[in-house]
């Protein structure tokens, strides 16, 4: 065993589960901590470039995987920008990002998507492992409160109806054995942030993944979104997010909930209100009443969009992991 492998074996093992922009932002902070990271990423996306490649090449959607690979990559910023570059013109090229096309190429070269992700991880010197939640694409469906069934991840928020539940096809999809094993060996499991019904819960609906999380003795953390998502979590509080996970999984899954309690400037709130989004209400007493420990801090930054403060958020996560490891020793 090499010195690097020995050092990695001694690091706390954290499994991060989700998808979307929020997950990638958080991972940029976490990769700077002394942690052995495994990211398990949703394969339910069916919109945009990912949807086209999924349909035309019969491969899992690459978009969320691409974002996570770039977030964990140890490469020059210019290379990251290049991988995120999206073609604006060209027959067949317009709308595709270069990173998605590279993942499609690696899948073709290696013979399967998982091997393609592994190969690109080496090229990008990724700090940790990136695994799709399953080796095949998943079709996400939603049942709304009025009984309507909506098919397709990209269509669910557009329907503008309150969601009763989401479910996947095939319902008995097999997770990657590597993903299940990573959860079994984890010291910490972190879920979120990301779109609740279309990025987070789909991973938890993969049967053996959810069972492995429930059975794990790791410390389990949920990072709640800062803003509601129109057509998906309208008017949701923090406890509403937790209740949705509980309703789908049937278990009290988390030990800790990490939330933002910093003020969001009024002009920023007004900008989001134009799109039908508002700050997720922290109903602290209700969350505590349900048995969750709460870590609250000013966790947002605003540039063009509101984003989690990756440095501050990763600091809280690392502290929780360290204190959990101390208790186990």
């Amino acid at each position: 065993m090499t010195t690097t492998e020995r050092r990695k074996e001694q690091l706390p093992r954290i499994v991060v589960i989700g998808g979307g922009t929020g997950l990638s932002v958080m991972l940029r902070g976490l990769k700077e901590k002394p942690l052995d990271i495994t990211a398990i990423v949703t394969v339910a996306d069916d919109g945009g470039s990912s949807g086209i490649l999924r349909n035309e090449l019969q491969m899992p959607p690459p978009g969320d995987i691409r974002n996570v690979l770039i977030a964990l990559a140890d490469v020059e910023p210019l290379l990251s920008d290049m991988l995120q570059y999206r073609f604006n013109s060209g027959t067949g090229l317009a709308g595709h990002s270069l990173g998605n096309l590279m993942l499609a190429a690696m899948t073709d070269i290696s013979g399967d998507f998982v091997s393609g992700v592994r190969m690109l991880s080496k090229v990008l010197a990724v700090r940790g492992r990136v695994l799709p939640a399953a080796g095949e694409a998943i079709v996400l469906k939603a049942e709304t409160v009025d009984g309507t069934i909506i098919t397709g991840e990209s269509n669910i928020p557009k329907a503008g109806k309150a969601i009763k539940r989401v479910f996947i096809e095939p319902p008995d999809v097999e997770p990657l054995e590597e993903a299940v094993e990573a959860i079994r060996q984890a010291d910490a499991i972190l879920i979120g942030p990301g779109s609740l019904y279309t990025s987070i819960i789909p991973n938890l609906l993969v049967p053996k993944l959810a069972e492995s999380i429930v059975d794990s003795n790791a410390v389990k953390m949920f990072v709640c979104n800062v803003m509601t998502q129109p057509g998906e979590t309208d008017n949701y509080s923090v406890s509403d997010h937790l209740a949705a996970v509980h309703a789908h999984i049937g278990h009290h899954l988390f030990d800790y909930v990490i939330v933002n309690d910093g003020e969001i400037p009024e002009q920023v709130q007004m900008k989001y209100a134009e799109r039908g989004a508002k700050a997720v209400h922290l109903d602290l007493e209700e969350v505590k009443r349900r048995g969750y420990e709460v870590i609250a801090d000013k966790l947002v930054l605003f540039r063009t969009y509101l984003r989690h403060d990756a440095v501050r958020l990763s600091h809280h996560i690392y502290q929780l992991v360290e204190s959990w490891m101390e208790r186990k020793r």
Side-chain angles (χ1 to χ4, degrees):
M1 186 183 290
T2 66
T3 304
T4 303
E5 286 171 333
R6 258 198 309 274
R7 194 178 297 123
K8 188 175 180 182
E9 201 170 79
Q10 294 165 2
L11 297 177
R13 290 166 294 199
I14 184 167
V15 172
V16 184
I17 302 171
T21 307
L23 179 65
S24 301
V25 169
M26 181 179 69
L27 286 171
R28 289 180 194 278
L30 276 183
K31 76 176 181 183
E32 303 301 332
K33 299 294 184 184
L35 294 166
D36 180 358
I37 301 171
T38 298
I40 299 174
V41 187
T42 180
V43 284
D45 190 8
D46 64 356
S49 170
S50 286
I52 293 167
L53 292 171
R54 169 180 174 150
N55 292 332
E56 292 188 357
L57 302 180
Q58 299 303 300
M59 63 179 281
D64 285 310
I65 295 277
R66 179 199 80 237
N67 284 329
V68 170
L69 285 171
I70 293 169
L72 289 173
D74 194 6
V75 294
E76 294 296 325
L78 183 59
L79 181 55
S80 292
D81 291 344
M82 186 176 74
L83 291 168
Q84 294 286 41
Y85 175 77
R86 200 170 290 275
F87 294 91
N88 295 312
S89 59
T91 305
L93 269 180
H96 285 298
S97 73
L98 182 59
N100 282 0
L101 295 177
M102 287 180 68
L103 271 169
M106 287 293 200
T107 299
D108 207 30
I109 291 166
S110 66
D112 69 89
F113 185 65
V114 176
S115 298
V117 172
R118 196 176 292 122
M119 287 170 63
L120 192 54
S121 295
K122 288 180 181 177
V123 171
L124 298 176
V126 164
R127 300 188 199 177
R129 285 189 299 167
V130 180
L131 303 172
E136 61 181 290
I138 292 168
V139 176
L140 184 66
K141 296 188 175 185
E143 180 187 357
T144 63
V145 291
D146 67 1
T148 304
I149 302 295
I150 304 162
T151 300
E153 179 266 348
S154 60
N155 294 320
I156 292 169
K158 294 175 188 172
K161 295 184 175 185
I163 297 167
K164 180 179 180 181
R165 68 182 181 110
V166 290
F167 54 102
I168 59 171
E169 289 185 354
D172 56 351
V173 64
E174 285 288 322
L176 292 187
E177 187 52 42
E178 286 175 83
V180 174
E181 190 58 31
I183 291 169
R184 286 184 187 137
Q185 294 182 8
D187 299 303
I189 298 170
L190 178 63
I191 296 174
S195 300
L196 180 64
Y197 288 106
T198 53
S199 290
I200 293 173
I201 290 176
N203 296 292
L204 303 177
L205 295 177
V206 177
K208 291 179 185 175
L209 277 188
E211 290 166 17
S212 300
I213 295 167
V214 170
D215 293 341
S216 171
N217 291 321
V219 59
K220 298 163 195 172
M221 298 169 274
F222 179 74
V223 180
C224 192
N225 294 336
V226 175
M227 304 297 290
T228 62
Q229 186 168 350
E232 197 161 329
T233 54
D234 297 289
N235 299 313
Y236 270 39
S237 65
V238 173
S239 69
D240 290 330
H241 283 76
L242 294 165
V245 175
H246 192 285
H248 282 80
I249 312 306
H251 288 272
H252 182 98
L253 211 54
F254 309 108
D255 303 298
Y256 293 93
V257 181
I258 303 173
V259 297
N260 172 62
D261 70 349
E263 274 196 45
I264 299 169
E266 190 174 339
Q267 66 270 25
V268 176
Q269 291 193 51
M270 288 172 64
K271 183 177 179 179
Y272 273 83
E274 289 172 6
R275 300 181 217 158
K278 63 180 183 180
V280 173
H281 171 59
L282 172 54
D283 47 347
L284 186 61
E285 292 308 313
E286 179 61 21
V287 174
K288 287 182 175 179
R289 189 188 70 78
R290 297 186 186 194
Y292 301 98
E293 293 285 334
V294 178
I295 307 295
D297 193 7
K298 183 179 184 297
L299 295 176
V300 289
L301 294 172
F302 178 74
R303 293 188 177 98
T304 308
Y305 299 98
L306 271 176
R307 293 282 183 256
H308 274 98
D309 182 330
V311 173
R312 193 169 286 200
L313 179 58
S314 59
H315 169 74
H316 283 293
I317 292 165
Y318 184 67
Q319 279 196 322
L320 285 175
V321 175
E322 279 285 274
S323 63
W324 188 267
M325 296 294 286
E326 280 297 320
R327 284 186 225 171
K328 286 172 65 177
R329 290 184 188 118

